[in-house]
Amino acid sequence: MSELLDGTFTFFALTVSDATADYLKGQVPSLRLFLDTNVVLAVLGMQDNRMQEADVELLEIIEKERYPFKLYYHQRTFKELINLVEVAKSRIRSRHFTPALSRAYLQYMESRGGGMGIERQFHAMNAERAVDTDAYLARFDHLEDLLRDRGIERFNQNGADLDVEIKGAHIAEFEHFLKNRHPGRQPRSYEARDHDVTVWMFLQRQRSRTTSALRSGALLLSNDYSLQSFDRAYLMGCAEGKGVATVVLPQHLLQILRPFSRVTTDFDKRFMEIFAAPEFRTTQTDYGPTASKVLSYLSSFDDVPTETAVHILNDDLLMGRLRDIESTDSEFTELIESAVIEENKSLAHEIGAITENLSKERKAREQSESAAEAAGKAVEEAMAKVESTRQRQELEASQRQKAEDKARAEAHEKAELQRRLDEATQQKETAEGDASRVLGQATWMRRALAGLLTLVLLIGVATVPKWLPWHWLAKHEHRTGILVLVGIAICGAGYIAAGGKHRGTAFSTIVIASLITLVSLL
């Protein structure tokens, strides 16, 4: 808690300007930072750990701000790293993992945390589609070159060998410390404890006694909280210790370097995320190696369902019993096969329940479909009636439209005939008027001509005896009557020629006058 409070105070209180940061950074002493195996794995992306962000962030800050730090890894750390990588490779190569088993592994690791990043990355890729194992693992064949590219050099131990008796005592004390700190947890292997103590004792040769860890000359960066606690509780106070801590957590060093670094929003955000990371997943037990053994065994079966593999891996009781049993033992096989059988029984029961539920759902669906079909038929009938009504209405509307069009056509035709009749009547009246006018003019001309001719004839008849040698007429006793009758006949002929209304009477008068004249002559 005190460390968290100190870190919080540092973060909120020591926000400095660039100039101040440069000045403070100039006061930072040179250091050799040795990276523990878990830090190396995190930097290479080969271990999934909540502290991985702190490891990567710390190395980026050291490079960016150019702190006078040199990064190394001990030859014993490299040996342990190679062993871990080879174990992970052998696990991957040992079996053919189907995508279903890879998905089960990922679900298990997601719920439990931890695990080798090499395996998790492989299963993450293999869960999507089958991966070429050799091609995937080839990228991890040159670890030393990968570390050198990140500015981390290998440090080979020189000088006299370490005191075996003292180292053995520290290893035994470390084992006792771990049992008291985490009772019931799987004990750490001797090789792991031997590595931690060996690297710690070697670093003491690189350090000087001082009151500040930053001025001791060398530090061990580790994500191992147990090793850091053991260093503070026992190692730093022993005869070989220098009185100050040797093991430093990366996030703690970040807190120390915070006042010496330039402040950026991104740095603050990432710092808070790292600062808030928990130390351990205390509610889970580390069955990573056991899970890998179980997964390897399950891969010998064809098409193991993902759900079955996940249930077996999440069975803490089974995993606890398998933890101390070798995968080659018959008991290991019997326990897993028994778990598979029980899981299959459970699945069979679930399948039966699901089948029953499906049957009920099918019946309900059939009833719903029947009701829906009846409703559909009713809707279809209603739609048919609506369609029939619509067609009838369309037919009636079409007939009305045709009748209206016919009536309009007939009315138009009648109007056209009436117009033509009116035009013909008007033309007739005009023609009749013109004819009547012409006829009147002709009548008047005929009458004028008839009158003139009658007058001329009458004058001629009256003057005939004078200019014609008609002595018989002059000597005739009825000469005057004859002339009068001839005049009457001429007048009647002129009247007839003039078109008088009493042409019959005039004609009779002419005939009578002619007869009388004839009788007179005879």
Side-chain angles (χ1 to χ4, degrees):
M1 179 60 70
S2 62
E3 291 178 356
L4 294 178
L5 292 175
D6 292 342
T8 303
F9 172 81
T10 302
F11 179 75
F12 287 104
L14 298 179
T15 300
V16 298
S17 64
D18 291 349
T20 305
D22 291 338
Y23 171 77
L24 293 175
K25 190 164 53 180
Q27 308 303 313
V28 176
S30 299
L31 266 178
R32 291 179 178 179
L33 296 180
F34 287 80
L35 277 56
D36 196 3
T37 307
N38 47 55
V39 178
V40 173
L41 290 172
V43 170
L44 293 177
M46 297 167 60
Q47 185 178 44
D48 293 323
N49 190 295
R50 291 294 299 273
M51 297 297 104
Q52 181 177 358
E53 292 185 9
D55 301 333
V56 176
E57 177 73 8
L58 177 59
L59 265 62
E60 290 178 355
I61 291 297
I62 291 174
E63 180 181 4
K64 181 179 179 180
E65 299 294 335
R66 298 181 180 179
Y67 284 105
F69 299 158
K70 298 294 183 180
L71 303 178
Y72 298 100
Y73 59 93
H74 192 266
Q75 61 185 30
R76 184 70 171 78
T77 300
F78 187 71
K79 179 180 178 182
E80 186 178 57
L81 177 65
I82 293 297
N83 291 336
L84 290 173
V85 172
E86 290 301 322
V87 169
K89 287 183 177 181
S90 64
R91 290 176 182 173
I92 295 175
R93 286 197 177 102
S94 62
R95 300 284 183 177
H96 172 69
F97 294 96
T98 63
L101 286 177
S102 291
R103 286 191 292 270
Y105 179 86
L106 291 175
Q107 293 182 26
Y108 172 79
M109 286 302 175
E110 183 67 26
S111 63
R112 299 302 180 104
M116 282 290 290
I118 297 178
E119 292 182 79
R120 293 197 65 169
Q121 291 174 16
F122 170 78
H123 288 294
M125 297 170 62
N126 195 64
E128 300 296 329
R129 60 178 181 177
V131 175
D132 187 332
T133 304
D134 293 333
Y136 171 76
L137 295 176
R139 70 185 70 178
F140 304 107
D141 291 340
H142 306 285
L143 297 178
E144 194 165 3
D145 293 335
L146 294 176
L147 291 170
R148 188 179 298 110
D149 292 340
R150 288 166 172 78
I152 307 172
E153 298 291 340
R154 179 173 175 175
F155 199 101
N156 294 320
Q157 178 176 332
N158 296 319
D161 293 336
L162 300 176
D163 190 308
V164 177
E165 185 177 349
I166 296 176
K167 184 176 73 171
H170 291 335
I171 293 174
E173 188 66 30
F174 192 17
E175 181 181 14
H176 178 71
F177 176 84
L178 292 174
K179 288 182 179 180
N180 292 334
R181 181 178 176 86
H182 305 294
R185 178 175 291 187
Q186 181 181 5
R188 185 174 301 192
S189 66
Y190 177 83
E191 289 78 10
R193 288 181 282 119
D194 179 73
H195 163 270
D196 295 340
V197 172
T198 298
V199 174
W200 182 89
M201 292 182 66
F202 171 75
L203 256 67
Q204 305 313 306
R205 296 181 178 181
Q206 313 296 319
R207 290 160 54 86
S208 58
R209 185 172 295 276
T210 179
T211 58
S212 172
L214 286 177
R215 300 186 181 279
S216 63
L219 293 175
L220 175 62
L221 286 178
S222 177
N223 291 323
D224 189 346
Y225 282 86
S226 296
L227 178 60
Q228 189 251 1
S229 299
F230 180 62
D231 177 45
R232 293 170 64 90
Y234 173 78
L235 292 176
M236 63 179 286
C238 69
E240 292 78 21
K242 303 300 181 181
V244 292
T246 300
V247 182
V248 178
L249 299 175
Q251 63 266 34
H252 289 176
L253 185 57
L254 268 177
Q255 295 177 40
I256 295 172
L257 297 179
R258 174 64 174 81
F260 305 98
S261 304
R262 293 178 177 83
V263 178
T264 63
T265 303
D266 182 65
F267 181 90
D268 289 344
K269 179 180 178 181
R270 296 175 68 178
F271 179 81
M272 288 299 295
E273 291 175 351
I274 295 168
F275 183 73
E279 291 189 10
F280 295 102
R281 294 177 179 263
T282 57
T283 59
Q284 303 291 347
T285 305
D286 183 15
Y287 292 125
T290 307
S292 297
K293 291 192 297 182
V294 172
L295 198 66
S296 297
Y297 182 79
L298 291 177
S299 66
S300 62
F301 297 94
D302 293 332
D303 299 329
V304 176
T306 302
E307 293 77 8
T308 299
V310 171
H311 289 167
I312 293 175
L313 290 173
N314 283 325
D315 188 344
D316 286 342
L317 180 61
L318 174 64
M319 300 297 282
R321 297 176 64 184
L322 294 173
R323 181 171 58 188
D324 299 326
I325 303 176
E326 294 296 330
S327 59
T328 55
D329 292 349
S330 59
E331 184 181 359
F332 187 90
T333 303
E334 292 173 358
L335 288 174
I336 295 182
E337 290 180 351
S338 176
V340 171
I341 293 173
E342 291 298 324
E343 182 62 26
N344 289 338
K345 289 181 180 179
S346 176
L347 289 177
H349 178 71
E350 292 180 3
I351 291 173
I354 292 173
T355 303
E356 184 178 356
N357 292 334
L358 288 176
S359 178
K360 293 179 180 179
E361 291 179 358
R362 184 171 58 254
K363 291 181 180 179
R365 184 173 64 253
E366 290 176 352
Q367 294 176 355
S368 299
E369 290 177 352
S370 299
E373 184 177 358
K377 290 181 178 179
V379 170
E380 289 178 358
E381 293 176 358
M383 292 296 293
K385 291 181 180 179
V386 171
E387 182 65 20
S388 176
T389 303
R390 185 185 63 79
Q391 292 179 356
R392 186 175 66 254
Q393 291 176 349
E394 288 181 354
L395 180 59
E396 293 175 354
S398 176
Q399 292 175 348
R400 285 197 302 271
Q401 185 66 33
K402 290 180 180 179
E404 291 175 358
D405 293 342
K406 184 178 180 181
R408 281 195 295 271
E410 291 177 352
H412 179 71
E413 184 178 0
K414 182 179 180 182
E416 182 66 21
L417 292 174
Q418 184 65 39
R419 184 185 63 79
R420 292 180 180 179
L421 179 60
D422 292 342
E423 290 180 354
T425 301
Q426 186 177 2
Q427 291 176 357
K428 180 181 178 182
E429 291 178 352
T430 302
E432 288 177 350
D434 293 342
S436 177
R437 186 171 60 256
V438 172
L439 182 61
Q441 292 175 355
T443 301
W444 283 107
M445 289 180 66
R446 188 177 65 178
R447 289 178 179 176
L449 291 173
L452 181 59
L453 182 59
T454 300
L455 182 61
V456 171
L457 289 176
L458 289 176
I459 294 173
V461 170
T463 60
V464 155
K466 293 180 179 180
W467 51 274
L468 285 178
W470 284 2
H471 299 292
W472 64 270
L473 181 59
K475 294 180 178 179
H476 198 287
E477 58 179 336
H478 297 297
R479 179 180 63 81
T480 303
I482 292 170
L483 292 175
V484 172
L485 289 173
V486 171
I488 292 172
I490 291 171
C491 289
Y495 182 79
I496 291 172
K501 294 182 179 180
H502 304 288
R503 290 189 295 274
T505 302
F507 181 75
S508 299
T509 301
I510 294 171
V511 172
I512 294 171
S514 298
L515 289 175
I516 294 173
T517 301
L518 181 61
V519 172
S520 298
L521 290 175
L522 295 177

